[in-house]
Amino acid sequence: MKRFTAILLALVLGLGLAACSNQGTSPSWEEQYEQGTGLLSEEKYDEAIDAFTAAIEVDPAHPEVYAARGDAYRQLGKLEEATQDYEKALELNANDGDTAVKLADILVEQGKIEEAAGILENLVQQYPDNTTYSEKLNEIRQTAGTLPPIPDDGIQREVVEISNGDELTELVEQSYTESLRNLEIHLGDGDYNVNSLFLMNAENVSFIGTGKTRLVSTSGIETIISMYNCDNVLLYGLVMGHDLDPIESCSTGVVELLSSKNMKIVGCDIYGCGLQGISADSSSFTVDSSTIRDCSQHGVLIYASQGTFDNCTFSGNCYQYSSNPVFRITDAASAVTLNNCSILDNPAQAKYLLTSGASDWTENNTIERGNAWQ
């Protein structure tokens, strides 16, 4: 009987030890995660997803596992599942900028541009010293062709629909004899061939394009639009420039501001062969989410003016006069500020030049790449 009891006790202990041993060999979430990352690197995406799912079942509190499983889902083209995993990873770790950028990318792939831009705008505010986020935001807005919101100053305006360049020229020429005030001029898609639009004494006038509205000229001696003694004029969603081969010469610029104030350029694409994309004399203005590109002499020419550029891109400027700077700023009354702008692939030998007492130049979070001066 004693022998039987001893044998039974040994069996019980053996089973207990075996059970403990089996529990000890159950993979931890770390082991499952490491297995998943190995499979992911081997492009075995379905198996990686199984490993990451097993890790989550063991312990669902680790954001890196969701982010990694999102990567695997994305590789398989399962965008909704990837989106959910990236969102869960950010819920567990709101400071994961890399995953936030991945989420923004995948939202763009799904056509959810504003959601993607919102994520990146939050990152720019949260990490103002990290230029990667502002660069990505600019990239998304430009490649997706999205426009920022139309500025709302609370002023009521009469809406006017304009369908072609002749109608637009005729309307602008009214400013020679009578002041244009409180107008919102809507322009559709396509080309508006113009001949040196010259707007005078206008107040509270908005030119609203679609992002595919093109104010263009085939003559290098015509400024696309000049504005003199104007107040609170908005150029929005417009592509403006000279449709000429770069080897041809221009004798004027694209947008000209003269003795004007509170001018706004938003969501515009300003391009050459204009001598300069924007020139300002004795004016104040802001430029937001716009591109100034491929201008032969300067990107921006400033005299006794104050200008602020937010989320803008300057590229390919000074190709004909590479000894010139992208920005030429003259007179002590001038002040220029750049916020979250990209300066890319300019043949210019200098970013900016201050002359005749000008000294007020400010930059915040500028991205520079591929420029001749670098």
Side-chain angles (χ1 to χ4, degrees):
M1 183 67 181
K2 290 181 180 180
R3 180 177 179 146
F4 175 76
T5 303
I7 292 171
L8 182 61
L9 181 60
L11 286 172
V12 171
L13 288 171
L15 290 171
L17 288 171
C20 290
S21 175
N22 288 338
Q23 289 177 359
T25 58
S26 296
S28 65
W29 78 266
E30 294 100 326
E31 291 169 329
Q32 295 282 19
Y33 172 64
E34 289 174 6
Q35 180 184 0
T37 55
L39 291 165
L40 185 61
S41 67
E42 295 172 7
E43 301 183 0
K44 298 177 179 178
Y45 302 123
D46 287 313
E47 295 175 50
I49 288 169
D50 290 341
F52 293 136
T53 301
I56 290 169
E57 289 173 353
V58 173
D59 189 345
H62 300 281
E64 61 267 39
V65 184
Y66 291 97
R69 192 173 68 173
D71 292 342
Y73 277 130
R74 186 178 180 185
Q75 291 294 334
L76 292 174
K78 297 182 177 181
L79 302 187
E80 290 187 11
E81 291 89 341
T83 299
Q84 291 172 5
D85 271 353
Y86 289 150
E87 288 175 342
K88 181 63 177 179
L90 289 172
E91 179 185 321
L92 294 170
N93 180 13
N95 297 320
D96 185 357
D98 289 341
T99 298
V101 169
K102 290 177 183 178
L103 177 58
D105 284 338
I106 208 168
L107 288 170
V108 169
E109 291 180 46
Q110 297 175 82
K112 300 175 181 179
I113 306 300
E114 288 307 315
E115 288 183 46
I119 288 169
L120 289 164
E121 285 168 359
N122 289 336
L123 285 173
V124 169
Q125 293 176 2
Q126 191 174 359
Y127 303 103
D129 295 332
N130 191 327
T131 58
T132 300
Y133 302 137
S134 56
E135 184 174 9
K136 192 71 178 178
L137 178 60
N138 286 342
E139 177 187 325
I140 283 178
R141 289 203 179 281
Q142 291 163 21
T143 58
T146 59
L147 294 172
I150 298 173
D152 182 8
D153 56 13
I155 297 172
Q156 295 296 314
R157 293 172 170 83
E158 177 188 356
V159 175
V160 178
E161 302 283 346
I162 298 292
S163 61
N164 58 63
D166 290 339
E167 289 181 4
L168 181 59
T169 300
E170 183 179 348
L171 177 64
V172 169
E173 286 178 350
Q174 290 181 26
S175 68
Y176 301 173
T177 56
E178 59 181 285
S179 296
L180 296 183
R181 287 196 171 129
N182 303 328
L183 290 181
E184 186 170 300
I185 301 163
H186 285 211
L187 308 169
D189 291 353
D191 288 5
Y192 286 70
N193 295 304
V194 296
N195 299 310
S196 289
L197 295 173
F198 192 79
L199 185 67
M200 297 177 61
N201 305 317
E203 183 177 355
N204 305 327
V205 174
S206 299
F207 294 84
I208 307 297
T210 66
K212 298 179 181 179
T213 304
R214 302 181 74 248
L215 306 187
V216 295
S217 174
T218 56
S219 172
I221 63 171
E222 295 175 347
T223 303
I224 301 302
I225 184 166
S226 297
M227 291 170 277
Y228 172 73
N229 197 34
C230 295
D231 183 8
N232 195 28
V233 173
L234 168 66
L235 303 178
Y236 176 86
L238 304 173
V239 180
M240 297 176 283
H242 299 95
D243 280 350
L244 293 171
D245 192 285
I247 65 171
E248 299 185 58
S249 296
C250 285
S251 59
T252 188
V254 180
V255 176
E256 185 178 41
L257 310 176
L258 305 167
S259 300
S260 296
K261 59 184 179 179
N262 303 318
M263 310 297 278
K264 303 178 185 69
I265 300 171
V266 179
C268 290
D269 180 5
I270 299 170
Y271 69 97
C273 70
L275 294 186
Q276 52 272 330
I278 298 174
S279 60
D281 185 341
S282 304
S283 298
S284 62
F285 65 95
T286 59
V287 185
D288 183 18
S289 302
S290 296
T291 299
I292 296 91
R293 61 180 174 88
D294 303 325
C295 294
S296 59
Q297 190 173 94
H298 300 286
V300 178
L301 186 65
I302 300 289
Y303 177 78
S305 297
Q306 299 80 47
T308 298
F309 298 84
D310 296 319
N311 305 305
C312 292
T313 298
F314 306 87
S315 65
N317 295 297
C318 311
Y319 64 84
Q320 201 169 44
Y321 300 90
S322 60
S323 61
N324 286 349
V326 177
F327 295 83
R328 182 182 290 273
I329 303 153
T330 303
D331 193 78
S334 294
V336 173
T337 300
L338 271 61
N339 297 312
N340 303 312
C341 291
S342 298
I343 305 178
L344 312 173
D345 303 319
N346 293 280
Q349 296 298 314
K351 180 166 51 178
Y352 66 93
L353 177 65
L354 307 175
T355 64
S356 300
S359 61
D360 199 344
W361 169 273
T362 305
E363 292 180 65
N364 298 298
N365 304 322
T366 303
I367 297 165
E368 294 182 37
R369 186 177 63 243
N371 302 291
W373 66 81
Q374 291 182 278

